[in-house]
């Protein structure tokens, strides 16, 4: 009962902060790019959406990059989130000295998403702004033993018992703070997330997708639609998956076909990954 009250309270608070933060997001200069542009953009803390194709773009100070079109070449710089639904795009993002990396969702085909070292022109933005919050924003502040943070289009409420993240689209991600617990959950986007490091789990996706953002996990995944591996040095045994996208490095993937003999479509955008089949 205590756990149920905890998650219910966390959802209400995080959703309330998301509503307050909406005015901040709308106030930022979100940029929409059509087709056939060769241009540099400074998002100034906002987001950029590429709706068209055949663009060559250099981006700076973006919190989120969304690519709906295809055949784009994009240098995203330091960015918090990359979402790709188009096909045939080449996207490069900048590594920061502290090892921070964007959250990557790749639902398209034939996309290549790689990292590079940060250059002098890149701006390593802090996920928690320093100094007083601007008027009208939803500030990060402690609530008892809880901490609320607003970053771009999402709100996260952290508590000793775990955390809850509410996205701008209403999707909810739960993470249990108990030691050794993965607390996966398929939210509105229908994806199961593994955000922690060093897990050993067996999970049946039951047709949902899976995101592996953590490092050094030992995971056995069954019946997943699409599996995206953004972390490093994971060991994955996969059966009956439709597709596997590897963006991280030094991962070991072993796959088995489904009962009907169908095999997964595997895309490897990282370095040092090994992919083998199990008969």
């Amino acid at each position: 009962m205590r756990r149920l009250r905890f998650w219910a309270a966390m959802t209400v608070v995080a959703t309330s902060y998301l509503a307050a933060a909406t005015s901040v997001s709308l106030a930022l200069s979100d940029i929409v790019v059509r087709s056939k542009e060769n241009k540099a953009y400074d998002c100034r803390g906002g987001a950029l959406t590429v709706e068209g194709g055949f663009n060559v773009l250099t981006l700076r100070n973006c919190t989120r990059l969304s690519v709906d079109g295809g055949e784009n070449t994009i240098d995203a710089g330091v960015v918090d989130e990359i979402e790709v639904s188009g096909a045939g795009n080449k996207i490069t993002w900048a590594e920061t000295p502290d090892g921070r990396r964007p959250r990557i969702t790749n639902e398209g085909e034939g996309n290549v998403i790689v990292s590079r070292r940060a250059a002098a022109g890149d701006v390593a933005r802090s996920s928690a702004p320093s100094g007083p919050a601007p008027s009208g924003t939803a500030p990060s502040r402690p609530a008892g033993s809880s901490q609320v943070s607003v970053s771009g289009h999402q709100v996260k409420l952290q508590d000793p018992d775990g955390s809850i993240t509410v996205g701008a689209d209403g999707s909810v991600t739960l993470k249990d703070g108990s030691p050794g617990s993965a607390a996966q959950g398929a939210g509105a986007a229908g994806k199961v997330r593994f955000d922690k490091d060093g897990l050993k789990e067996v999970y049946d996706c039951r047709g949902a997708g899976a995101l592996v953002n953590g490092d050094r996990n030992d995971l056995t995944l069954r019946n997943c639609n699409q599996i995206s591996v953004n972390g490093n040095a994971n060991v994955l045994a996969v059966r009956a998956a439709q597709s596997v996208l590897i963006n991280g490095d030094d991962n070991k993937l072993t796959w088995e076909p489904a009962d009907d003999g169908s095999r997964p479509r595997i895309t490897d955008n990282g370095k040092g990954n090994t992919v083998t089949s199990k008969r």
Side-chain angles (χ1 to χ4, degrees), residues 46-101:
L48 186 141
T49 300
V50 181
E51 293 186 344
F54 303 99
N55 296 287
V56 179
L57 306 174
T58 300
L59 312 181
R60 295 295 180 268
N61 302 309
C62 297
T63 56
R64 183 173 68 176
L65 168 64
S66 299
V67 183
D68 301 327
E71 303 298 332
N72 297 285
T73 301
I74 304 171
D75 183 343
V78 177
V79 62
D80 295 333
E81 184 176 359
I82 299 173
E83 297 180 351
V84 186
S85 59
N89 298 285
K90 182 177 180 180
I91 301 171
T92 305
W93 54 272
E95 300 176 354
T96 60
D98 61 0
R100 209 159 38 89
R101 56 190 298 147

Side-chain angles (χ1 to χ4, degrees), residues 4-39:
L4 180 61
R5 289 198 300 267
F6 164 72
W7 289 122
M10 293 274 272
T11 303
V12 170
V13 173
T15 304
S16 299
Y17 268 82
L18 179 64
T22 300
S23 60
V24 183
S25 299
L26 292 177
L28 297 173
S29 300
D30 291 352
I31 300 169
V32 177
V33 177
R34 307 301 180 185
S35 297
K36 297 182 179 179
E37 289 192 15
N38 189 335
K39 193 172 181 180

Side-chain angles (χ1 to χ4, degrees), residues 138-152:
S140 301
R141 66 181 183 215
S145 59
S146 301
Q147 178 73 31
V148 179
S149 60
V150 180
S151 176

Side-chain angles (χ1 to χ4, degrees), residues 93 95 99-102 104 113-115 194-199 211-219 228-236 245-253 268-274:
W93 54 272
E95 300 176 354
R100 209 159 38 89
R101 56 190 298 147
I104 300 173
I113 304 174
V114 297
S115 65
F194 296 86
D195 293 325
K196 291 185 176 182
D197 300 332
L199 297 173
L211 293 173
V212 182
N213 294 324
D215 300 331
R216 301 179 305 281
N217 295 295
D218 187 348
L219 303 176
S228 297
V229 184
N230 300 321
N232 303 314
N234 295 286
V235 177
L236 299 101
L245 174 68
I246 308 176
N247 293 318
D249 301 331
D250 300 318
N251 297 284
K252 295 182 179 180
L253 170 69
D268 185 358
N269 296 329
K271 298 178 181 179
N273 299 304
T274 60

